[in-house]
Amino acid sequence: MELMKLRGQIIPIGDRLYKYREDLAKRYMSEILRQLEALREVKVERQTPAGPIKLVKVIDIGEIEAAFTDKKSYAKALREALLKLQVIKEKYDEIKTELEREAEEKARLIKRMYSLLEKFPQRRKFVNLEKLDEEIVRREEAIAQKTEEALHMWSGIKHMASAVGSRLDVERDLAVLLELPEPWIADYVAVLKIYSSELEKKYALFLEKEKAKKTALEWLKSKFGVESEDIDTALTTVATKIGVNIKLLEAVAKRGKGAVLEVDQLAVETGLKKEEVERELERLYRAGAVEKKYVA
């Protein structure tokens, strides 16, 4: 049956077969040409968060001699057209597979990039989604990773910076840097690590001072009934009241109740002479603030 078709003896139209007739032959040849034309353009589309990816490739199907004058010339033209159709179908399937692979890769890259741009929209101006490749995505992923590292570090030291009066604001700095084509975030993180170490030391000293201040205020309140929460005001009030050196008073107060007061140590700390320290301690003793042998 297939051989009879190729010889032009019978012509398939729909589900039926007919003997050769010129009008039917032209009708069937037109159907073959229509199938060929439908294969001329290969289209693949994939949906992504940023919109659809559309890839198109045109196949050169060449010239087809479809004219015929009788059954013999029809059979020859038909065989050439069917052979061409088979070749183009194979080429179409091959190209479609390649385009699908390319579309999947682009969709994957866009998905990765889109998640980054949702976190850091400042980077959008530096990314052309239509020309996206692996190198660009990796560049932006590295920038995002370092940015998140900086933010994580900042979450751990922000309260320290605020406590010691530091003007550091990592969120503000990153907002500025991310507006640059090459934001140098890695360099910023390296510097931030060094600064964080120094900030932790400053914060530790700050906590020590705050603890000493709290201890001093509690001691001044218990010994002299001072209610002020400001250490300078409390020290000035007591020093003026009992006529004691304010530096010596502060040194004693921050040691708290029951602390043994070493004269030599207090002299170094306050810058007073030993005999001056002893005289001031005597005044505190008479005021009932310390005991003999100088225990606070």
Side-chain angles (χ1 to χ4, degrees):
M1 193 66 67
E2 291 300 319
L3 185 58
M4 293 177 70
K5 291 179 185 178
L6 293 175
R7 288 179 175 177
Q9 294 175 340
I10 57 175
I11 300 172
I13 301 294
D15 295 330
R16 303 186 65 179
L17 299 174
Y18 298 88
K19 289 184 177 181
Y20 175 81
R21 219 171 66 198
E22 185 176 349
D23 61 326
L24 295 178
K26 288 181 178 180
R27 181 177 170 184
Y28 182 53
M29 181 64 75
S30 295
E31 173 61 21
I32 300 300
L33 295 178
R34 187 194 64 76
Q35 292 180 35
L36 270 170
E37 190 61 33
L39 297 173
R40 184 185 293 275
E41 193 173 73
V42 188
K43 295 181 179 180
V44 170
E45 183 172 326
R46 289 290 182 276
Q47 294 298 323
T48 75
I53 295 174
K54 297 180 180 180
L55 300 180
V56 179
K57 190 168 184 179
V58 177
I59 301 175
D60 181 8
I61 63 176
E63 295 294 327
I64 301 173
E65 183 56 55
F68 58 89
T69 55
D70 53 24
K71 183 191 297 186
K72 184 177 180 181
S73 59
Y74 160 72
K76 181 181 178 182
L78 178 63
R79 287 194 295 272
E80 291 178 356
L82 290 174
L83 179 61
K84 173 76 74 171
L85 180 61
Q86 181 61 35
V87 170
I88 296 301
K89 276 184 176 180
E90 292 176 357
K91 192 171 184 179
Y92 179 93
D93 291 340
E94 181 182 336
I95 292 173
K96 187 176 181 181
T97 299
E98 292 176 358
L99 291 182
E100 286 176 341
R101 188 183 301 114
E102 183 181 346
E104 287 294 337
E105 177 63 18
K106 284 183 177 292
R108 185 180 63 81
L109 290 175
I110 288 176
K111 185 177 180 180
R112 285 164 60 190
M113 179 58 70
Y114 202 76
S115 66
L116 297 176
L117 296 179
E118 284 185 320
K119 293 180 182 177
F120 308 110
Q122 305 99 314
R123 303 303 300 164
R124 188 178 296 276
K125 66 174 69 70
F126 305 115
V127 176
N128 185 342
L129 294 177
E130 293 182 0
K131 297 181 180 180
L132 200 61
D133 59 26
E134 184 70 27
E135 183 179 353
I136 294 173
V137 175
R138 287 183 179 178
R139 180 195 71 196
E140 294 301 317
E141 284 178 337
I143 291 171
Q145 187 271 327
K146 285 297 180 181
T147 301
E148 290 176 342
E149 183 180 350
L151 289 172
H152 178 71
M153 291 172 62
W154 179 232
S155 68
I157 64 172
K158 187 176 182 178
H159 67 289
M160 300 182 190
S162 176
V164 303
S166 171
R167 298 177 64 183
L168 175 67
D169 188 336
V170 172
E171 292 173 352
R172 178 196 60 205
D173 293 345
L174 291 174
V176 173
L177 289 173
L178 288 172
E179 292 288 347
L180 302 175
E182 295 295 335
W184 305 305
I185 302 293
D187 293 337
Y188 181 83
V189 169
V191 174
L192 184 60
K193 287 179 180 178
I194 297 172
Y195 185 84
S196 296
S197 179
E198 294 299 319
L199 185 60
E200 287 172 359
K201 294 176 184 177
K202 290 181 181 180
Y203 185 66
L205 291 175
F206 168 80
L207 291 179
E208 287 181 15
K209 289 181 180 179
E210 287 298 301
K211 182 179 179 181
K213 185 191 297 184
K214 182 180 179 181
T215 300
L217 285 170
E218 290 174 351
W219 187 83
L220 291 168
K221 182 179 180 180
S222 67
K223 297 297 182 180
F224 302 102
V226 180
E227 295 293 340
S228 176
E229 293 297 322
D230 180 71
I231 187 63
D232 292 331
T233 301
L235 288 169
T236 301
T237 300
V238 174
T240 303
K241 181 179 179 180
I242 65 175
V244 71
N245 181 280
I246 195 168
K247 288 185 178 180
L248 190 282
L249 178 63
E250 182 180 8
V252 172
K254 72 181 184 181
R255 282 166 166 76
K257 297 178 182 179
V260 176
L261 305 174
E262 297 287 346
V263 174
D264 292 338
Q265 192 178 52
L266 288 169
V268 172
E269 187 175 330
T270 61
L272 300 173
K273 294 179 180 179
K274 184 177 179 181
E275 55 269 25
E276 289 176 323
V277 172
E278 290 176 338
R279 185 176 65 246
E280 298 302 318
L281 288 175
E282 188 65 28
R283 287 176 180 170
L284 286 173
Y285 170 70
R286 288 197 299 271
V290 298
E291 300 173 7
K292 277 295 183 179
K293 296 299 181 182
Y294 307 121
V295 176

